[in-house]
Structures are given as C-alpha cells and as structure tokens.
Amino acid sequence: MTRSLLALLLILGQLPLAAATRRRVVQHPAAPVASAALVAAARKAAETAMAAGVPGLQIAVADHGQVIYSEAFGMTDRESAIATTPRSIMQIGSVTKQFTAAAILRLAERGKLTLDDRIDTYVPEFNSRGATITLRQLLSHTSGVRRDWILFPPPAGFDFGAPVTRAQVIETLNNGQTLNFPPGAAWSYSNAGYMLLGFAIESITGMSYADFIHQEFALPLGLLDTGLCGSHDLPVPKGYVQIPNGSWIRKAPTHPSINVANGAICSTAFDLARWSHLLATGNVVLPASYATMTTPVHIVNEIPVINYGLGFFLQKQLGYSTAWHGGAIDGFQAFLLDVPERDMTIAVTNNAFPAPATCDPMLTAMAVAKVALAAP
C-alpha cells in the first residue's frame, strides 16, 4: 500500500485500524494556529541554519498533541531545485533509538521478555565473552559493548552503500575488540548495542525490524511518513555533506541494513512531533513503561552516570525537565525535544551532515523552544 493511498484511506475512514492492534485509533482534531511570535522564531531559526549552509530543513511544534506549527525550508535536492516540504522524507539517525526502546518495552508489556533478560537469550550467536549483558544495559548504554559494530577505520573495500546481513554484523562484532568495561560498570554510547536489540526484536517476533515498526507503530498511529528507510514505500533519501574545501555535495546514502535499529528510520519533523507526544501519553507504551524509559540509569554502585534513560537523554533546559535525542547520519541530522511538564514537543530535521556545528538542529530546536515555552 502506498503512502498516498494510506493517507487517503485514513482521511476517508476506510482503513480498519482499530482491529489491528490494541492501540490503533488516533484522532486528529483541527490544529490550533501557532502564535505569530512562534512562527517568527521558527522562521528566524531556519534562516540562521540555512545561512550556516543547511540545504533544507523541517520544523514542527506540537502542543498537547496538536501540531500547531509545521513548516519546511530550502531544498531537498539543490541540483534539481526540489523544494523541501513538510512531507519530504528525512533520515533521523539515532532518534531511531526511541523507536527501538519503545519496541522492547512493548514486548515486555506483552510478557515476551523482561528488561533483565540476557541478550544471548535472543541473539545466541552473539559472543558475550562470558559476561551477563542484559537488554536494559543495552538500552541504557551501560553494556560495555563497543560503540559501532564496524571497526573504524573500516576494512579496505568496505562499501557503506551495500547491504549487510545479521550474520555479517554479528561475526564482525564477535571478532572485534573485547567489551569496553564490565556490563553495568560505566556508561558509553553504543550503536552496536542497539543493533543487537533490533536482532532481539526480530528473534522474538519473527518479523523484520522494518515490519515491526510499520505494523506496531507507523500504521496504527497514523505516522504516514515514518519507517525504516527503503521499506514500506519509503525512499532512502540522499542528503548533503560539506567537504574540506567548504563546498556542499549530495551524498549517496548509507545502506539501511548497516544501522537498522540504531539509526535507519526515516521520518519528518511533523511525524516526530506527533510520535513524541503519543509516546509520552500512553499511546505507544504504558505510562509505567514510559516512566522507566525516562528514569536516569545507574551503574552498579547506584550512582547516576549520565542523564540517560532508555532511548532518551534527560536534561533540565529552559527551566523544564526535558527528554530528548539527536541523530546524525551521512547527509542528515535530527533533533527531537519533549517537555512533558508542558506536553510540548519540538522536532527539527535537516539534510546536512557532516556539517559545521552551526548547522546542528539542536540549535534550531532550542531557539524555537525558547519562544514556545515562554507562551502561557
């Protein structure tokens, strides 16, 4: 089913969403109009990002579940002069980790696993080197598994545009360096750990990660432009990188199989703003599960290591407790900020990475958030 047909069926009420899973129906009342101050702040932030070199970007703000502002700027394809729209598909990099964490929590709610299960229960071909590595530790980056399954620099001839298999990923991971530290003893960001979580989801459900995200999240929640890049009628979009001479070139994308559950989802700022609200309000996982996701992790001596939960960075910003995650992958960046106290979300995507620090979508999001949160 194409995304356009799916959108039409949703509008006409002909898609039987309620029968598909326990959380299917999402109402979409008419969104209130954003304030003039918010619109002006967003457009100024977009102009600043584009002046720094960003070819195209999207900004969306949701207030109590209503997307009150959604606008796109610049070009998705400079060479063909294709303008960015609110439905232009962007790669979101590590914001994918929220979806993977939510998938694990949903399976826990169904009794398919517990967070303290060992990863080798579900991915037995992974060599844990005699250590007990739990799903919770992988979710919270306290497992000791190295940052990436590919050792950098990559082996000669490695093609980032070619597909890889589960067996290849795990063989490379098994043959690489040992654990960085005993599981639970420290915090270290691990994309490889989230790859293992994606394999666990596939083992437990008998579905591909792409199909699980589509059937459990995207379809029932009406996230029409969200899913694993290259699956379910979604493209694998090309973004831009800045090369050493300062020029921008369009880059062939990394194959989604190289990142899968750690960073291969595509979406839009509009969908991400809705996703964040739905996740925080019991429409994706139960409130107790979301509370677990947004509780800072602890190392073995019960001292918080970093303000990270399960798929979320947790930080006080602009006077509010926030839950957020950023993402960066060849050609794209994203930033998703949730302010639970205000039930407000700001999402920004752009098609520029590697890029100057001034292109960071976090800067764009915080400029918008400052004005959005100042409103009564």
Side-chain angles (χ1 to χ4, degrees):
M1 182 181 293
T2 66
R3 291 188 293 121
S4 297
L5 178 57
L6 177 57
L8 179 61
L9 289 174
L10 283 169
I11 292 168
L12 297 177
Q14 296 301 309
L15 190 63
L17 296 182
T21 70
R22 60 178 177 155
R23 300 185 179 95
R24 283 298 190 187
V25 179
V26 180
Q27 299 298 324
H28 303 291
V33 178
S35 69
L38 175 56
V39 173
R43 290 177 177 173
K44 181 178 179 180
E47 289 171 3
T48 300
M50 294 177 69
V54 169
L57 73 157
Q58 301 167 331
I59 303 172
V61 180
D63 187 0
H64 290 80
Q66 303 294 313
V67 178
I68 60 171
Y69 175 80
S70 176
E71 194 167 7
F73 306 84
M75 299 285 175
T76 58
D77 183 345
R78 284 176 163 174
E79 293 71 25
S80 299
I82 297 174
T84 307
T85 75
R87 292 199 65 189
S88 296
I89 303 301
M90 302 279 198
Q91 297 196 46
I92 65 170
S94 284
V95 179
T96 297
K97 291 179 173 67
Q98 286 190 8
F99 291 82
T100 301
I104 291 290
L105 268 293
R106 176 172 281 195
L107 291 173
E109 292 172 5
R110 293 176 179 170
K112 301 295 186 181
L113 58 84
T114 75
L115 296 185
D116 296 314
D117 288 345
R118 296 169 61 111
I119 183 61
D120 44 19
T121 301
Y122 308 109
V123 191
E125 64 270 42
F126 170 64
N127 180 9
S128 63
R129 298 171 175 84
T132 297
I133 300 174
T134 68
L135 303 179
R136 188 189 304 272
Q137 289 165 341
L138 292 167
L139 286 165
S140 61
H141 300 297
T142 59
S143 67
V145 173
R146 69 175 187 250
R147 180 180 176 91
D148 295 292
W149 68 267
I150 305 169
L151 290 172
F152 284 90
F158 186 86
D159 183 1
F160 281 89
V164 298
T165 65
R166 169 175 172 149
Q168 288 174 299
V169 170
I170 294 177
E171 180 183 8
T172 304
L173 193 54
N174 285 346
N175 292 338
Q177 67 194 50
T178 60
L179 297 177
N180 289 338
F181 49 81
W187 189 92
S188 183
Y189 195 83
S190 176
N191 290 316
Y194 268 75
M195 286 289 281
L196 292 173
L197 290 165
F199 296 148
I201 291 166
E202 293 181 336
S203 295
I204 293 165
T205 65
M207 302 166 61
S208 69
Y209 179 83
D211 285 350
F212 186 91
I213 295 300
H214 180 70
Q215 294 184 31
E216 293 283 336
F217 296 150
L219 184 63
L221 299 175
L223 303 175
L224 303 180
D225 300 314
T226 298
L228 196 75
C229 300
S231 72
H232 299 284
D233 200 38
L234 289 170
V236 184
K238 294 180 181 180
Y240 290 82
V241 303
Q242 187 178 55
I243 58 178
N245 69 6
S247 301
W248 290 85
I249 61 170
R250 202 161 186 227
K251 178 141 185 345
T254 298
H255 196 277
S257 62
I258 291 175
N259 294 299
V260 195
N262 83 70
I265 283 181
C266 283
S267 190
T268 62
F270 181 91
D271 269 11
L272 289 178
R274 291 194 57 246
W275 159 261
S276 188
H277 165 79
L278 292 167
L279 181 57
T281 54
N283 290 283
V284 179
V285 296
L286 298 174
S289 295
Y290 182 75
T292 298
M293 294 176 72
T294 54
T295 299
V297 298
H298 292 72
I299 53 175
V300 289
N301 63 1
E302 296 302 315
I303 298 174
V305 259
I306 193 167
N307 288 328
Y308 196 91
L310 310 181
F312 285 98
F313 286 96
L314 306 165
Q315 187 178 357
K316 195 86 169 181
Q317 300 187 84
L318 301 176
Y320 294 94
S321 296
T322 66
W324 62 271
H325 216 293
I329 192 168
D330 283 346
F332 295 91
Q333 296 184 82
F335 187 79
L336 181 57
L337 176 73
D338 187 61
V339 187
E341 187 178 338
R342 291 285 300 272
D343 196 2
M344 183 173 287
T345 298
I346 295 92
V348 177
T349 63
N350 72 39
N351 58 352
F353 187 81
T358 45
C359 296
D360 191 332
M362 182 177 187
L363 299 177
T364 306
M366 295 309 296
V368 176
K370 186 175 181 180
V371 174
L373 292 170

